[in-house]
Amino acid sequence: MANMPSIPKGTRDFSPVEMLRRKHIFGTIETVFRKYGFLPLETPAMEKLETLTGKYGEEGDRLIFKVLNNGDVWKEVAPELKAALAKGEEVHPGKLATSLSGKALRYDLTVPFARYVVQHRNELAFPFKRYQIQPVWRADRPQKGRYREFYQCDADVIGSKSLLNEVELVELTAEVFNAFGLQVAIKVNDRKVLSAIAEISGQPEKVVDMVTAIDKLDKIGLEKVQEEMRAKGISETALATIAPLFRLHGTWPAQKQQLQDWLGSVPLAQEGIRDLSTVFDTAGQLGNATLEFDPTLARGLDYYTGAIFEVKANEGSLQSSIAGGGRYDDLTGIFGLKDMSGVGISFGADRIYDVLLELGKFPAELGSSTRVLFANFGDAEALHCLKLLRTVREAGIAAELYPDAVKMAKQFKYADDKGIPFVAIIGENEMKQGIVTVKEMKSGEQRAVKEGELLDAIV
RNA sequence: GUGGAUGUAGCUCAGUUGGUUAGAGCGCCGGAUUGUGGUUCCGGAGGUCGCCGGUUCAAGCCCGGUCUUCCACCCCA
């Protein structure tokens, strides 16, 4: 239709049914967060542009949604830029952008959190544990499972270097997905190991390139990974040096031994292996979470420095990660606060939604909320129903009165559409006799009960 | 940001080499049933064919642009 209104690219409306399911996801995650001692925090949808730029790499900067300044933006453009533009000269878009936009929509929850910690450092008790469930925005090109506005559910603890935090987050993650009844793989690696590999390769400055290439192993295969690394200027000798990484096999104890034999002489690697051991051993003794060591797990964000996690569903068709996180030693450093190590995990609610929906893992009772609908026969009957409605609601049962005295068929259809299990019918006769005709929609059966027995009839 | 597909009724889709008033199923509304939904029967409404422009005597169909959705890349939750 020509004049049908619509919403911006990559954004979505959520219908009541969808919202009930989304609330189920947020609620489950939030309950677990609270259980582990995390407290809620919210930050503004917008941050100052300078807070966000340069934190997500070159690619990330491009994906930040910038907000146009209010007022006469043109007036704020520097005279020399205007002159250049008037002459038809090329102007660096970034330069122009800073005059036109001073704020941007948040790209993730971690950087605003770091900003918050630095800004409020004197008021916080460290280690500071907070959770944050809010939307973030990315100017990415949308695809399935990839939106321009989506929610992240983050839990971070900052101001503690203890690996117990990693263990707790792993436990927390296992508990969340257990609550959803979803089989997942929790993959773990350590950036220090990856950095050590880059070190011995002789091209330590290429860590980021190596890491992003290695991360694609399960998707594109070894040959293409090596191809990409060559394209990024990584030498054949370096490739040969890091090759053992792709030959690690077995599960953790065996993998650990192979890492030791290979990298044991590199101090950074020793540290990484030791940390991984601590996490695996401690989590293993607790026995709640099953971890997999994945030496090729890298994760894109360059602020990670220690442990990194990623969660993928073992069922369903979605291959991308549904949660991820890691340790960052110096995230607050860029805002001027040194020595603040933190570790966090982020759950991708929208992707979890898609997986649960595909697998039919949403609880059935999410569908309905109202338990009984009172049919409306007119003013006198409606008033009578309002009184009964109150007692039903006081018993904690969701109930509603159809607002208009329209014909019965329409009122029953409403109950049917909305999945309301019972309809209470109180016409002139029922009212006079002090009874209620209760119809159970599913079976179609109906019976008359005394007003006082209504609650029993609809349980 | 790069490359490629897509768009016809609220939804899912037909629509011949360009040729009169653009169709179906589902849904919606009304009636059969003035106190009964989900089944059945009958009737009805609803589309300037995503939008803008061009070619043509004539465009849903051809061409250009633009937007949407989807796919691959990039990157990521």
Side-chain angles (χ1 to χ4, degrees):
Chain A
M1 266 219 329
N3 293 324
M4 196 64 114
S6 60
I7 55 177
K9 184 201 287 224
T11 64
R12 295 154 299 159
D13 289 320
F14 301 111
S15 68
V17 178
E18 291 168 319
M19 275 313 296
L20 289 172
R21 298 201 271 247
R22 287 174 68 83
K23 295 258 183 198
H24 169 249
I25 291 175
F26 296 137
T28 303
I29 293 173
E30 184 170 18
T31 304
V32 177
F33 282 172
R34 294 287 284 268
K35 225 157 92 178
Y36 281 74
F38 291 87
L39 290 171
L41 177 76
E42 289 205 0
T43 61
M46 285 181 282
E47 291 282 344
K48 287 185 171 177
L49 188 53
E50 70 217 45
T51 303
L52 302 182
T53 43
K55 310 299 189 298
Y56 308 105
E58 202 180 317
E59 190 67 23
D61 279 359
R62 212 191 70 216
L63 300 178
I64 294 171
F65 266 109
K66 294 166 191 72
V67 178
L68 186 65
N69 288 338
N70 292 74
D72 185 357
V73 286
W74 184 243
K75 219 165 67 185
E76 303 302 320
V77 175
E80 60 266 29
L81 280 179
K82 280 187 192 172
L85 283 168
K87 277 186 267 172
E89 288 172 16
E90 292 257 334
V91 169
H92 184 60
K95 272 190 175 172
L96 195 56
T98 49
S99 352
L100 300 178
S101 165
K103 48 198 179 302
L105 295 175
R106 75 169 98 75
Y107 178 89
D108 71 356
L109 301 178
T110 309
V111 168
F113 171 55
R115 188 225 83 220
Y116 175 89
V117 168
V118 174
Q119 198 177 325
H120 297 268
R121 62 183 108 177
N122 295 325
E123 306 149 35
L124 301 176
F126 292 100
F128 179 55
K129 298 169 78 171
R130 71 87 235 228
Y131 72 86
Q132 198 170 346
I133 300 177
Q134 286 190 278
V136 302
W137 294 268
R138 294 183 189 177
D140 211 347
R141 196 177 281 205
Q143 277 181 37
K144 200 181 206 79
R146 178 185 239 179
Y147 309 100
R148 286 187 154 186
E149 179 185 57
F150 61 95
Y151 272 72
Q152 285 189 335
C153 312
D154 279 28
D156 288 80
V157 39
I158 195 160
S160 164
K161 290 193 164 108
S162 167
L163 291 167
L164 290 178
N165 297 303
E166 272 85 339
V167 174
E168 284 263 275
L169 284 177
V170 162
E171 295 278 302
L172 178 153
T173 303
E175 188 162 338
V176 164
F177 288 108
N178 189 40
F180 288 132
L182 190 64
Q183 298 293 319
V184 296
I186 304 176
K187 299 183 178 190
V188 187
N189 194 6
D190 196 298
R191 268 288 168 84
K192 290 194 282 284
V193 173
L194 293 169
S195 300
I197 293 169
E199 209 176 287
I200 59 161
S201 79
Q203 293 181 280
E205 76 285 355
K206 297 277 185 192
V207 204
V208 174
D209 286 334
M210 284 184 198
V211 152
T212 47
I214 290 168
D215 196 40
K216 293 176 192 163
L217 182 70
D218 55 341
K219 208 175 171 187
I220 62 175
L222 180 55
E223 280 185 24
K224 295 225 165 175
V225 167
Q226 292 180 321
E227 208 173 283
E228 181 172 327
M229 287 199 273
R230 278 188 201 103
K232 288 276 166 71
I234 291 159
S235 71
E236 290 301 325
T237 6
L239 282 180
T241 317
I242 67 176
L245 173 72
F246 304 109
R247 292 199 290 267
L248 293 175
H249 56 270
T251 51
W252 173 243
Q255 289 169 315
K256 179 186 176 183
Q257 193 52 53
Q258 294 162 55
L259 278 180
Q260 284 287 15
D261 296 345
W262 179 32
L263 299 168
S265 59
V266 187
L268 195 59
Q270 265 176 27
E271 218 180 292
I273 297 168
R274 194 197 57 214
D275 287 359
L276 281 166
S277 291
T278 307
V279 173
F280 269 87
D281 293 349
T282 318
Q285 283 178 44
L286 294 168
N288 297 324
T290 318
L291 298 183
E292 292 171 28
F293 172 65
D294 182 353
T296 67
L297 169 65
R299 292 189 61 76
L301 292 172
D302 23 311
Y303 50 65
Y304 290 124
T305 51
I308 42 185
F309 315 107
E310 189 161 284
V311 180
K312 285 185 178 176
N314 278 341
E315 340 167 50
S317 59
L318 189 74
Q319 288 308 303
S320 20
S321 63
I322 52 179
R327 178 169 286 275
Y328 38 86
D329 278 334
D330 197 30
L331 192 64
T332 56
I334 41 182
F335 297 121
L337 183 60
K338 297 282 175 199
D339 292 324
M340 257 306 174
S341 188
V343 58
I345 182 102
S346 176
F347 293 85
D350 299 81
R351 287 185 176 175
I352 293 172
Y353 182 101
D354 291 344
V355 173
L356 294 183
L357 188 66
E358 180 188 352
L359 298 171
K361 301 250 186 199
F362 283 107
E365 65 269 23
L366 287 180
S368 59
S369 58
T370 301
R371 184 132 190 99
V372 55
L373 173 77
F374 286 77
N376 188 328
F377 282 86
D379 290 346
E381 291 88 345
L383 183 64
H384 181 78
C385 286
L386 283 174
K387 292 173 191 162
L388 284 173
L389 206 46
R390 186 167 165 183
T391 59
V392 173
R393 286 173 177 158
E394 273 170 359
I397 296 170
E400 58 185 304
L401 166 66
Y402 197 89
D404 304 290
V406 296
K407 59 183 206 172
M408 282 304 105
K410 198 170 169 104
Q411 303 196 33
F412 276 95
K413 188 165 158 37
Y414 174 81
D416 196 42
D417 287 346
K418 221 173 151 180
I420 299 173
F422 295 98
V423 175
I425 303 150
I426 307 168
E428 209 182 348
N429 292 337
E430 283 92 346
M431 205 163 79
K432 249 185 257 171
Q433 297 173 49
I435 59 168
V436 182
T437 300
V438 178
K439 171 158 174 160
E440 194 201 348
M441 294 299 282
K442 202 173 168 188
S443 63
E445 286 165 18
Q446 60 184 55
R447 60 196 173 108
V449 300
K450 291 183 188 151
E451 278 175 11
E453 292 162 358
L454 176 60
L455 288 179
D456 299 323
I458 58 175
V459 192

